[in-house]
Amino acid sequence: MHSRKSYWLPILIGLPLISLLSACSGVQSSLDPAGAAAQLIADLWWPTLVVASLVTVLVLALLLIGVFRAFKHRSARPLSARQSRNLVIAGGIILPLSVTIPFALSSFSIGRTLYAPPPDDALTIEVVGKRWWWEVHYLDQDGNRIATTANELHVPVGETIRLLLKSDNVIHSFWVPNIQGKTDMMPGQVNVTSLVADEPGVYRGQCAEYCGAQHALMAFLFVAETPDEFAEWLEHQKQPAVTLETAQAVQGREVFSDSGCAECHTIRGTQADGQEGPDLTHLASRRMLAAATVPNRIGHLGGWITDPQHIKPESLMPPTELTPDDLQSLLSYLGSLE
Ligand code: HEC
Ligand SMILES: [Cu+2]
């Protein structure tokens, strides 16, 4: 018959193990690499984990042996001066150096690879850290902005991408754990980095430098797709907003310009040219709203417009009071911006 004890032991060991392992995969995990840089980082991380664990076990074992001996043989003779010295040289100098030097060297060499300058003709994307969202510009070979979007970065797989990282406010940090390491976004400075996505997929990027109230909800989606899909997407993003087909959408465009939205938001191809908030020209083509905080569905969109402070307290978008009719038209307009 099983005793209570034999039943609990597997649970006690198994549960933490399962929760530990679940951190090894997913759309925001540096242990589930889908890009060359993330692969290098993971390749360094695993040996570090193994060696650091062994060192911890070794140190704790020595400590326990010492404590045990001290209690058991109170009268035991202390080590001779020579033995003590050898112990310090071996355990205090040789062992730590032989562990840390190889790691320092490989970390340095990986760092050099990670921050190697991208090729001159690489596709260039400018990302600006905002409070608390991401402005994204695609540049042509001459550095002109050809398409602007927000909170969703698309890249073709297998191609080296040059990123120009900026901020016009506080320090943010650009990080897509599955693809690359963190790079800070500093006001008054352009940090250049590069990345390659190896596998198509949708990953989650996260601001990695505390930047104020909504830092935790400053995320974005990183969409790696085939070169054909990417070219099609970019071509579409370059276009101005679609022509409106329903009377309700036309009415919604009026609501948009009469309710102050246009002062903060740009919709290319219309009068709206505000700069404070995300470009909404192709809002309906995005998967999420408000820096990957809520899914881009009509209910969430309505909730966001009437009360953004509920979804992201202290966010820089004010609430807007609208009649139900106006809200419906506005939602129908925004929903048409594919
Ligand atoms: C004072 C400036 C301001 C005004 C006015 C304003 N917004 Fe915004 N809006 C913002 C900012 C800033 C954000 C980004 C908030 C965040 O994610 O933290 C935003 C985000 C959004 C988003 C999410 C976009 C995305 O890519 O996720 C939508 C949609 C939106 N606003 C629609 C509207 C509509 C519709 C109105 C008018 C009823 C409006 N906004 C009025 C500043 C403004
Ligand atoms: Cu930030």
Side-chain angles (χ1 to χ4, degrees):
M1 209 188 87
H2 280 288
S3 71
R4 262 176 174 266
K5 204 169 150 204
S6 70
Y7 179 73
W8 279 106
L9 199 65
I11 295 185
L12 276 179
I13 296 176
L15 275 185
L17 205 64
I18 289 169
S19 47
L20 269 180
L21 288 177
S22 68
C24 299
S25 64
V27 296
Q28 190 183 317
S29 168
S30 47
L31 301 182
D32 195 358
Q39 186 66 58
L40 283 173
I41 294 170
D43 287 349
L44 177 62
W45 191 86
W46 283 108
T48 312
L49 175 72
V50 170
V51 173
S53 306
L54 289 177
V55 169
T56 307
V57 169
L58 181 75
V59 170
L60 287 179
L62 285 175
L63 180 72
L64 284 181
I65 290 172
V67 169
F68 185 73
R69 280 171 56 113
F71 276 106
K72 194 152 185 219
H73 318 281
R74 271 169 205 276
S75 55
R77 218 162 29 90
L79 295 181
S80 72
R82 193 195 156 91
Q83 282 171 318
S84 308
R85 199 190 56 209
N86 288 348
L87 194 66
V88 169
I89 291 175
I93 299 175
I94 296 176
L95 187 68
L97 286 183
S98 61
V99 170
T100 48
I101 287 176
F103 279 120
L105 290 179
S106 50
S107 165
F108 179 72
S109 119
I110 287 177
R112 281 182 63 101
T113 317
L114 292 185
Y115 294 101
D120 280 342
D121 60 347
L123 170 70
T124 305
I125 309 176
E126 180 186 336
V127 186
V128 188
K130 298 285 190 170
R131 274 172 300 166
W132 287 275
W133 55 282
W134 312 79
E135 187 174 270
V136 180
H137 304 284
Y138 286 76
L139 308 187
D140 66 11
Q141 291 298 334
D142 302 323
N144 303 311
R145 293 175 176 177
I146 50 173
T148 294
T149 182
N151 304 325
E152 202 173 290
L153 213 76
H154 286 236
V155 303
V157 288
E159 246 181 67
T160 304
I161 314 291
R162 176 195 290 112
L163 288 174
L164 306 181
L165 302 176
K166 303 180 178 177
S167 165
D168 60 4
N169 45 88
V170 297
I171 303 175
H172 302 274
S173 183
F174 180 95
W175 191 30
V176 193
N178 299 62
I179 304 292
Q180 44 76 272
K182 302 167 190 173
T183 309
D184 279 359
M185 309 169 100
M186 318 283 286
Q189 181 175 323
V190 183
N191 280 352
V192 183
T193 185
S194 64
L195 55 80
V196 188
D198 292 335
E199 288 167 37
V202 179
Y203 308 98
R204 190 171 185 276
Q206 168 69 45
C207 179
E209 182 75 41
Y210 180 71
C211 57
Q214 286 305 327
H215 162 68
L217 293 181
M218 178 169 170
F220 62 97
L221 294 185
F222 183 93
V223 183
E225 49 201 3
T226 63
D228 285 348
E229 285 168 340
F230 170 75
E232 200 178 305
W233 175 86
L234 185 60
E235 200 43 51
H236 183 68
Q237 298 293 318
K238 284 185 198 167
Q239 308 304 319
V242 282
T243 22
L244 302 177
E245 269 155 25
T246 66
Q248 200 185 30
V250 174
Q251 167 69 21
R253 188 170 58 194
E254 301 285 297
V255 176
F256 189 86
S257 53
D258 293 347
S259 309
C261 318
E263 266 146 50
C264 290
H265 293 286
T266 293
I267 297 182
R268 279 172 282 135
T270 76
Q271 306 273 308
D273 61 357
Q275 298 296 322
E276 279 303 298
D279 185 299
L280 302 180
T281 310
H282 296 289
L283 175 71
S285 76
R286 301 206 273 268
R287 293 160 169 81
M288 309 268 301
L289 293 172
T293 302
V294 288
N296 189 1
R297 291 203 208 99
I298 191 162
H300 290 289
L301 187 56
W304 171 258
I305 291 168
T306 46
D307 196 2
Q309 300 298 317
H310 179 74
I311 297 174
K312 284 173 89 166
E314 290 185 37
S315 102
L316 300 183
M317 171 155 155
T320 305
E321 245 179 76
L322 295 167
T323 65
D325 241 19
D326 282 354
L327 180 61
Q328 280 314 319
S329 319
L330 182 58
L331 290 175
S332 141
Y333 172 51
L334 294 175
S336 75
L337 298 175
E338 293 198 335

